[in-house]
Amino acid sequence: MTISIRWSAVGFVCLLASIQPLWGQYDDFPGPYCADPRYGGCCDSRQDTCSVPISTTLCYCDEFCNRTTNSDCCPDFRKVCLGIAPDPILRCHHKGTYFTQFDPPIKDNCNLCRCESNGQVICDRDPCLVDEDLLRSINDNTFVNGWEARNYSEFWARKYADGLDLRLGTFEPTYPVKAMTRLTSRRGEIRRSFDARDQWPGLVSRVVDQGWCGSSWAVSTTSVASDRFAILSKGREVVHLAPQQLLSCVRKQRGCNGGHLDVAWNYLRRIGVANEECYPYEASRNKCKIHRGADLKSLHCELPTKVPRQHFYQMGPAYSLNNETDIMTEIQRSGSVQATMRVYRDFFSYSSGIYRHTQTDSERSGFHSVRIVGWGEEDEGFTVSKYWIAANSWGTWWGEDGYFRILRGSNECEIENYVLASWADVFTKQKVPQQTFARRRLH
């Protein structure tokens, strides 16, 4: 029992006392201890009463301290009792911080750094979500790159793997997405620039923050659907649809670990979702609260006042768009569309300008889905750069108030490969009541 007490109760404090970061000195616990005549000095054999107060506990001056491990002994034991000067403790220095091998590792961005017994600093080498060298490289070449980067505190000290896993969340498009019906719009006059926010004021849904949850598949789907309901109903059904219902209730998806866009749109077509006020976003895959036979009324949602709607908000079959012109035509006529893009590390640091991947790193990438709400052109030196205007789902603190511009017409980051849209099942006076949820097979 005595041994256990000596090691657990005093070991930590005395260890700190014996490893001060100055060679052979003890600035925090200067003593004297064993040399103090009030406590009897050094003792033979093992005597647990041969102790001296130190800080808020005790340290020891008995012969038992003359062993390999003696972390509970007084700082001056070796010098006073054995006549041996204390071993020098080598200090490590890393970016303005001094620490020893006995100290906890220090944090350098997203990596831990440890002090070795030889005074060398060894740090983990995982890629960080925010990299100072990458930021410097981008901002030193803004004229060439066409955009600026920023060090976001929300991303600092996070690993790049965290960003790929928890800030994206759309699986690489598979055959069902690639095989979706492709729509070629009847092309009319296409404006040189267009922004759905200006065309339909108050009808384009807000930018949300998906948090540290790989849910862009759900957030972008319900955001596009929300825009379509507001625009196609001419403002009679302005609603923010609930991505949380998709996260919690779509069985074939992985919640915050990602999902397929075709499955999300199929759920909206067959079952529909509630509004976000009724099913708030929690950035986690909780138990689904939608039961068989549920509708807005049975869930005690606040029902819309402009239309007599009680059933969930549903969408028609999703379709894909062929090319740049078809995408622009669709947005100009019906509202925002959903796009899947490949995301690299530099995208996380985007601040403003027309984004294009800088090719400054060779890290792995991930897939992300966003809303395209418009397009435009901008003079860059002697050239004119075309761009898409897209809404991200990382909050308004990121990018251009939550939006970003990205090069248009060159399939930058594959953003023009898989662009999806759907028609909202808006309520009209002539509308025949739909089948109730009870008569539908749960997804």
Side-chain angles (χ1 to χ4, degrees):
M1 180 64 71
T2 302
I3 294 176
S4 174
I5 293 174
R6 287 183 60 177
W7 275 89
S8 60
V10 305
F12 179 71
V13 173
C14 289
L15 174 62
L16 292 179
S18 65
I19 60 171
Q20 295 307 302
L22 294 178
W23 291 53
Q25 298 184 32
Y26 309 96
D27 291 345
D28 293 341
F29 300 90
Y33 299 102
C34 297
D36 194 322
R38 294 176 298 171
Y39 300 108
C42 304
C43 305
D44 297 331
S45 65
R46 173 171 181 166
Q47 299 183 34
D48 291 335
T49 58
C50 189
S51 60
V52 180
I54 179 172
S55 184
T56 58
T57 183
L58 300 174
C59 64
Y60 294 83
C61 297
D62 58 4
E63 196 175 59
F64 187 65
C65 286
N66 189 16
R67 62 192 192 280
T68 303
T69 303
N70 56 359
S71 59
D72 58 353
C73 298
C74 293
D76 61 355
F77 168 77
R78 288 169 60 84
K79 180 179 180 180
V80 174
C81 300
L82 303 179
I84 302 174
D87 294 332
I89 302 299
L90 295 180
R91 290 194 301 172
C92 291
H93 177 263
H94 184 71
K95 295 186 177 181
T97 300
Y98 290 92
F99 61 116
T100 75
Q101 67 186 96
F102 301 101
D103 294 323
I106 63 172
K107 198 80 177 288
D108 181 2
N109 196 346
C110 72
N111 288 308
L112 292 177
C113 296
R114 300 164 184 82
C115 179
E116 299 294 303
S117 58
N118 60 1
Q120 297 296 313
V121 177
I122 303 297
C123 297
D124 297 337
R125 300 178 64 87
D126 293 329
C128 297
L129 195 54
V130 177
D131 183 87
E132 292 176 316
D133 292 335
L134 180 60
L135 292 174
R136 191 178 304 109
S137 173
I138 294 169
N139 290 331
D140 286 348
N141 295 280
T142 54
F143 181 78
V144 176
N145 298 327
W147 61 282
E148 295 182 354
R150 186 190 311 172
N151 185 343
Y152 292 104
S153 59
E154 289 81 358
F155 291 159
W156 185 257
R158 301 294 298 238
K159 296 184 183 297
Y160 179 41
D162 293 338
L164 294 178
D165 294 339
L166 302 176
R167 276 290 178 177
L168 306 183
T170 298
F171 292 146
E172 182 175 3
T174 54
Y175 177 77
V177 175
K178 298 176 182 178
M180 277 185 174
T181 301
R182 289 190 172 270
L183 177 68
T184 299
S185 300
R186 289 184 303 167
R187 299 173 183 176
E189 180 183 356
I190 297 178
R191 304 179 195 176
R192 182 177 178 182
S193 63
F194 181 85
D195 191 329
R197 295 169 294 179
D198 298 329
Q199 179 70 17
W200 298 289
L203 301 187
V204 175
S205 57
R206 64 185 182 273
V207 171
V208 301
D209 189 345
Q210 68 185 69
W212 293 97
C213 169
S215 60
S216 70
W217 65 273
V219 173
S220 64
T221 299
T222 51
S223 294
V224 169
S226 299
D227 293 351
R228 291 294 177 109
F229 262 98
I231 292 168
L232 296 178
S233 70
K234 298 181 179 180
R236 298 179 72 232
E237 293 200 81
V238 179
V239 62
H240 297 291
L241 299 181
Q244 186 61 48
Q245 184 172 341
L246 296 184
L247 276 181
S248 298
C249 301
V250 184
R251 298 175 183 174
K252 294 182 180 180
Q253 307 286 59
R254 297 182 185 176
C256 285
N257 294 317
H260 293 285
L261 297 183
D262 61 304
V263 178
W265 284 111
N266 191 41
Y267 184 93
L268 277 175
R269 178 182 64 83
R270 298 174 61 244
I271 296 174
V273 295
N275 56 304
E276 189 171 10
E277 292 78 10
C278 186
Y279 208 143
Y281 185 67
E282 300 179 27
S284 62
R285 188 174 190 175
N286 300 325
K287 182 179 179 181
C288 179
K289 67 179 183 180
I290 303 300
H291 55 83
R292 188 175 295 275
D295 58 15
L296 297 178
K297 185 175 181 180
S298 66
L299 288 179
H300 306 292
C301 303
E302 184 176 349
L303 300 179
T305 57
K306 294 184 179 181
V307 296
R309 175 185 290 277
Q310 293 187 12
H311 54 269
F312 290 131
Y313 297 89
Q314 293 175 276
M315 301 292 291
Y319 49 88
S320 64
L321 300 163
N322 286 306
N323 51 51
E324 176 189 359
T325 304
D326 287 345
I327 296 170
M328 296 164 72
T329 302
E330 178 71 15
I331 296 172
Q332 189 171 286
R333 289 180 175 175
S334 305
S336 63
V337 297
Q338 182 185 52
T340 298
M341 62 180 291
R342 187 181 291 274
V343 169
Y344 301 89
R345 185 163 60 151
D346 60 355
F347 182 72
F348 290 93
S349 300
Y350 169 88
S351 175
S352 62
I354 302 175
Y355 173 79
R356 65 270 275 172
H357 180 42
T358 59
Q359 302 293 335
T360 56
D361 61 73
S362 57
E363 306 294 342
R364 65 189 182 98
S365 58
F367 285 93
H368 187 44
S369 50
V370 298
R371 274 185 297 158
I372 300 179
V373 302
W375 63 86
E377 298 178 1
E378 184 174 286
D379 292 332
E380 291 185 328
F382 298 102
T383 63
V384 175
S385 293
K386 302 187 304 179
Y387 60 83
W388 296 112
I389 304 170
N392 201 353
S393 51
W394 295 345
T396 56
W397 52 265
W398 181 89
E400 298 177 332
D401 296 323
Y403 287 80
F404 66 99
R405 289 175 288 159
I406 184 171
L407 213 60
R408 169 169 60 97
S410 58
N411 199 24
E412 180 65 34
C413 295
E414 304 176 25
I415 195 169
E416 293 159 14
N417 271 358
Y418 308 107
V419 179
L420 307 179
S422 175
W423 281 75
D425 194 4
V426 297
F427 201 101
T428 64
K429 292 182 180 180
Q430 295 78 28
K431 187 176 183 64
V432 178
Q434 297 188 10
Q435 292 176 304
T436 64
F437 187 84
R439 295 171 59 188
R440 296 179 182 274
R441 183 170 62 86
L442 284 171
H443 187 64

